[in-house]
Amino acid sequence: MSGELDAAVGGQRATSTLGEVWRFAQESRIATLLVEEDYHQPASIDESGLRLTPVDDPTTPGALDDAVDEVIATVIERGGQVVFVANGSLGVHQRIAGILRY
């Protein structure tokens, strides 16, 4: 799967970081989501629903307790696939990456 991700990065059809992946997932653009196995991150969402801001405390009012789980569910609901990879293998992508449909 890393070869497919590398090709997508080279072809500018990839996204990295939770914030970017979140936005592309909301737009139904992620064909394949790669996530490190133990990656969890609470976050808050802006009014548009497209901008995600990580928070340290999952009990922050209005925050998602795990935005990673939410993005996984969104990708699956919108016809994408999810691949879990070993911890540390997506370090350059900040633990999460998406291969875009277009």
Side-chain angles (χ1 to χ4, degrees):
M1 186 54 62
S2 67
E4 290 177 45
L5 179 58
D6 291 342
V9 168
Q12 298 182 342
R13 293 183 309 104
T15 186
S16 299
T17 75
L18 183 56
E20 286 186 16
V21 166
W22 176 272
R23 183 172 55 86
F24 283 112
Q26 300 309 310
E27 296 172 352
S28 302
R29 291 191 53 198
I30 296 183
T32 304
L33 179 68
L34 293 90
V35 183
E36 288 188 5
E37 291 175 356
D38 294 325
Y39 184 35
H40 304 281
Q41 176 65 58
S44 61
I45 307 167
D46 76 351
E47 310 79 46
S48 73
L50 296 177
R51 187 169 180 183
L52 197 70
T53 304
V55 296
D56 293 327
D57 183 0
T59 63
T60 300
L64 300 170
D65 63 337
D66 190 353
V68 177
D69 279 347
E70 295 291 331
V71 84
I72 289 168
T74 299
V75 168
I76 291 169
E77 287 169 7
R78 297 177 185 205
Q81 67 176 10
V82 177
V83 177
F84 292 95
V85 298
N87 291 331
S89 63
L90 293 174
V92 70
H93 301 283
Q94 296 183 24
R95 305 189 73 188
I96 191 166
I99 298 173
L100 303 177
R101 291 188 169 106
Y102 57 92

